[in-house]
Amino acid sequence: MASPALAQTPAPTTRSVCLTPPALAMVWTGAGRPHETVAVPGVGLGAGETLVQIELATVCGSDIHTVEGRRAAPTPLVLGHEYVGRVVDVAEGVRAVDGAVVQVGDRVVWSIMASCRDCDRCRHGVPQKCRSLVKYGHERIQPRWELTGGFATHAHLRDGTTIVRVGEALPAEVLAPAACGSATAWAALARADEVVDVDDATVLIMGAGLIGLTACAMASDRGATVVVADPDPARRALATRFGAAQAVDPTGRRALDSALAATGAAEFDVVLEASGSPRAVQAAIDAVGVGGVVVLVDSVFPSDPVPLDPERLVRGLATIRGVHNYTPRDLGGALGYLRHHAAEHPFVELVSARYPLAQVDQALAAAAAGKAVRVAIDPRDAQRRR
């Protein structure tokens, strides 16, 4: 099993790759400080590694939490873990999730993390919790591995990264969020499916952000009846376009009861909490029916604890599951879903603001304002200017 120390050390260099003009990375050095531009003239490509030129990156909520100081992060680092790009160099024998050899020119989405594939956690099916995990957009930059996140012109992918070839048909705005939000939505439904058949379920989704909206579309396309709860009327209107049978303001228990009654179901079989609000987490646990499952996906930053009534959970045969990130199968499943169903829902509209790479601070501020479901950062402007 690889040790955590080894996880931070790039693989032995097999080839030096010169980048002319140099790659550019926007480096975050701490809360309240503007990003700094770092030029990277080359990388040492090790065994199992890939160099990708980034086409588009999107801002995830955890990026905002980091820059606002709500979660700890090592500095300096390159933020960003939702992205799509094109392979410009690759070590021999690197394979995509479908088993095909990755080649220069492939358009790809890659996972938020690289795992060792050999520790106890990897062998037990939770590689996202690998003992020597490396996460893009979360690691301190270091010599020979500066291109560590999505807010850059290029990304240097480590051995153990899940790579999915995505072809040319889907817009970058649909593909980039798959590396975190869409894959997490798929993972949440997959874990729920292990308890309750989602195809025939009545599903409550708390929060109409990217994860909630994507999960709504995925579940409704499978035949589930979906209720979405969100305090923002614009988000509720959007939820109906993603397949929600009901979209309600969750203020007060009566709103959820009325929405459930309107579906004709007796209780919620699946409750997916995708906002991270402690109040919403409590509401999710309170709302689940007998034999149902609550899946928590967005409680990824420090918050107030939530009271728990163990007797109700025991007598109600309830299951509570936490989903953080995803497995390689989940990323492949999410992208497969988008390949076949993205045109049926307004996924492309979820990215409603776009900024050049040099304006990453403005992009983060726009994302924090919450008007756009996703804000994009386009590094191609920086590449064209050089």
Side-chain angles (χ1 to χ4, degrees), residues 221-234:
D221 285 346
R222 291 180 53 180
T225 300
V226 182
V227 174
V228 173
D230 195 285
D232 185 338

PDB file of all heavy atoms in Angstrom, residues 221-234:
ATOM      1  N   ASP A 221     -35.861  10.693 -15.237  1.00  0.00           N
ATOM      2  CA  ASP A 221     -35.685   9.940 -16.481  1.00  0.00           C
ATOM      3  C   ASP A 221     -35.749   8.434 -16.253  1.00  0.00           C
ATOM      4  O   ASP A 221     -36.013   7.668 -17.183  1.00  0.00           O
ATOM      5  CB  ASP A 221     -34.356  10.305 -17.140  1.00  0.00           C
ATOM      6  CG  ASP A 221     -34.384  11.662 -17.822  1.00  0.00           C
ATOM      7  OD1 ASP A 221     -35.485  12.202 -18.020  1.00  0.00           O
ATOM      8  OD2 ASP A 221     -33.309  12.194 -18.147  1.00  0.00           O
ATOM      9  N   ARG A 222     -35.508   8.005 -15.022  1.00  0.00           N
ATOM     10  CA  ARG A 222     -35.627   6.581 -14.686  1.00  0.00           C
ATOM     11  C   ARG A 222     -37.041   6.209 -14.269  1.00  0.00           C
ATOM     12  O   ARG A 222     -37.307   5.038 -13.985  1.00  0.00           O
ATOM     13  CB  ARG A 222     -34.658   6.246 -13.552  1.00  0.00           C
ATOM     14  CG  ARG A 222     -33.198   6.292 -13.958  1.00  0.00           C
ATOM     15  CD  ARG A 222     -32.288   5.963 -12.791  1.00  0.00           C
ATOM     16  NE  ARG A 222     -32.644   4.691 -12.143  1.00  0.00           N
ATOM     17  CZ  ARG A 222     -32.002   4.180 -11.106  1.00  0.00           C
ATOM     18  NH1 ARG A 222     -30.961   4.829 -10.596  1.00  0.00           N
ATOM     19  NH2 ARG A 222     -32.388   3.043 -10.585  1.00  0.00           N
ATOM     20  N   GLY A 223     -37.943   7.167 -14.191  1.00  0.00           N
ATOM     21  CA  GLY A 223     -39.320   6.875 -13.836  1.00  0.00           C
ATOM     22  C   GLY A 223     -39.719   7.287 -12.439  1.00  0.00           C
ATOM     23  O   GLY A 223     -40.878   7.083 -12.037  1.00  0.00           O
ATOM     24  N   ALA A 224     -38.805   7.843 -11.670  1.00  0.00           N
ATOM     25  CA  ALA A 224     -39.129   8.294 -10.323  1.00  0.00           C
ATOM     26  C   ALA A 224     -40.010   9.546 -10.377  1.00  0.00           C
ATOM     27  O   ALA A 224     -39.961  10.323 -11.337  1.00  0.00           O
ATOM     28  CB  ALA A 224     -37.850   8.585  -9.545  1.00  0.00           C
ATOM     29  N   THR A 225     -40.801   9.724  -9.329  1.00  0.00           N
ATOM     30  CA  THR A 225     -41.551  10.959  -9.138  1.00  0.00           C
ATOM     31  C   THR A 225     -40.738  11.840  -8.201  1.00  0.00           C
ATOM     32  O   THR A 225     -40.443  11.444  -7.068  1.00  0.00           O
ATOM     33  CB  THR A 225     -42.924  10.678  -8.521  1.00  0.00           C
ATOM     34  OG1 THR A 225     -43.663   9.814  -9.386  1.00  0.00           O
ATOM     35  CG2 THR A 225     -43.699  11.972  -8.314  1.00  0.00           C
ATOM     36  N   VAL A 226     -40.355  13.034  -8.669  1.00  0.00           N
ATOM     37  CA  VAL A 226     -39.388  13.852  -7.949  1.00  0.00           C
ATOM     38  C   VAL A 226     -40.026  15.158  -7.475  1.00  0.00           C
ATOM     39  O   VAL A 226     -40.681  15.859  -8.252  1.00  0.00           O
ATOM     40  CB  VAL A 226     -38.158  14.168  -8.826  1.00  0.00           C
ATOM     41  CG1 VAL A 226     -37.136  14.986  -8.039  1.00  0.00           C
ATOM     42  CG2 VAL A 226     -37.523  12.880  -9.344  1.00  0.00           C
ATOM     43  N   VAL A 227     -39.820  15.451  -6.192  1.00  0.00           N
ATOM     44  CA  VAL A 227     -40.164  16.743  -5.618  1.00  0.00           C
ATOM     45  C   VAL A 227     -38.860  17.455  -5.287  1.00  0.00           C
ATOM     46  O   VAL A 227     -37.968  16.871  -4.657  1.00  0.00           O
ATOM     47  CB  VAL A 227     -41.009  16.586  -4.335  1.00  0.00           C
ATOM     48  CG1 VAL A 227     -41.229  17.950  -3.662  1.00  0.00           C
ATOM     49  CG2 VAL A 227     -42.337  15.916  -4.653  1.00  0.00           C
ATOM     50  N   VAL A 228     -38.721  18.697  -5.712  1.00  0.00           N
ATOM     51  CA  VAL A 228     -37.534  19.499  -5.424  1.00  0.00           C
ATOM     52  C   VAL A 228     -37.935  20.640  -4.496  1.00  0.00           C
ATOM     53  O   VAL A 228     -38.933  21.332  -4.745  1.00  0.00           O
ATOM     54  CB  VAL A 228     -36.892  20.049  -6.709  1.00  0.00           C
ATOM     55  CG1 VAL A 228     -35.754  21.016  -6.379  1.00  0.00           C
ATOM     56  CG2 VAL A 228     -36.373  18.899  -7.567  1.00  0.00           C
ATOM     57  N   ALA A 229     -37.161  20.830  -3.434  1.00  0.00           N
ATOM     58  CA  ALA A 229     -37.410  21.911  -2.481  1.00  0.00           C
ATOM     59  C   ALA A 229     -36.240  22.881  -2.505  1.00  0.00           C
ATOM     60  O   ALA A 229     -35.086  22.477  -2.311  1.00  0.00           O
ATOM     61  CB  ALA A 229     -37.599  21.338  -1.078  1.00  0.00           C
ATOM     62  N   ASP A 230     -36.536  24.151  -2.752  1.00  0.00           N
ATOM     63  CA  ASP A 230     -35.508  25.187  -2.769  1.00  0.00           C
ATOM     64  C   ASP A 230     -36.176  26.528  -2.492  1.00  0.00           C
ATOM     65  O   ASP A 230     -37.261  26.798  -3.018  1.00  0.00           O
ATOM     66  CB  ASP A 230     -34.794  25.225  -4.123  1.00  0.00           C
ATOM     67  CG  ASP A 230     -33.500  26.023  -4.078  1.00  0.00           C
ATOM     68  OD1 ASP A 230     -33.572  27.276  -4.039  1.00  0.00           O
ATOM     69  OD2 ASP A 230     -32.421  25.403  -4.070  1.00  0.00           O
ATOM     70  N   PRO A 231     -35.561  27.388  -1.677  1.00  0.00           N
ATOM     71  CA  PRO A 231     -36.194  28.675  -1.373  1.00  0.00           C
ATOM     72  C   PRO A 231     -36.181  29.679  -2.514  1.00  0.00           C
ATOM     73  O   PRO A 231     -36.930  30.657  -2.481  1.00  0.00           O
ATOM     74  CB  PRO A 231     -35.372  29.192  -0.184  1.00  0.00           C
ATOM     75  CG  PRO A 231     -34.046  28.502  -0.302  1.00  0.00           C
ATOM     76  CD  PRO A 231     -34.346  27.160  -0.888  1.00  0.00           C
ATOM     77  N   ASP A 232     -35.368  29.464  -3.532  1.00  0.00           N
ATOM     78  CA  ASP A 232     -35.228  30.409  -4.643  1.00  0.00           C
ATOM     79  C   ASP A 232     -36.266  30.089  -5.721  1.00  0.00           C
ATOM     80  O   ASP A 232     -36.233  29.004  -6.315  1.00  0.00           O
ATOM     81  CB  ASP A 232     -33.816  30.306  -5.214  1.00  0.00           C
ATOM     82  CG  ASP A 232     -33.537  31.338  -6.301  1.00  0.00           C
ATOM     83  OD1 ASP A 232     -34.491  31.847  -6.918  1.00  0.00           O
ATOM     84  OD2 ASP A 232     -32.353  31.624  -6.550  1.00  0.00           O
ATOM     85  N   PRO A 233     -37.191  31.016  -6.014  1.00  0.00           N
ATOM     86  CA  PRO A 233     -38.215  30.727  -7.028  1.00  0.00           C
ATOM     87  C   PRO A 233     -37.643  30.461  -8.413  1.00  0.00           C
ATOM     88  O   PRO A 233     -38.201  29.650  -9.168  1.00  0.00           O
ATOM     89  CB  PRO A 233     -39.106  31.974  -7.013  1.00  0.00           C
ATOM     90  CG  PRO A 233     -38.297  33.039  -6.339  1.00  0.00           C
ATOM     91  CD  PRO A 233     -37.391  32.333  -5.391  1.00  0.00           C
ATOM     92  N   ALA A 234     -36.537  31.109  -8.760  1.00  0.00           N
ATOM     93  CA  ALA A 234     -35.922  30.860 -10.069  1.00  0.00           C
ATOM     94  C   ALA A 234     -35.384  29.430 -10.144  1.00  0.00           C
ATOM     95  O   ALA A 234     -35.502  28.758 -11.182  1.00  0.00           O
ATOM     96  CB  ALA A 234     -34.808  31.860 -10.332  1.00  0.00           C
TER      97      ALA A 234
END
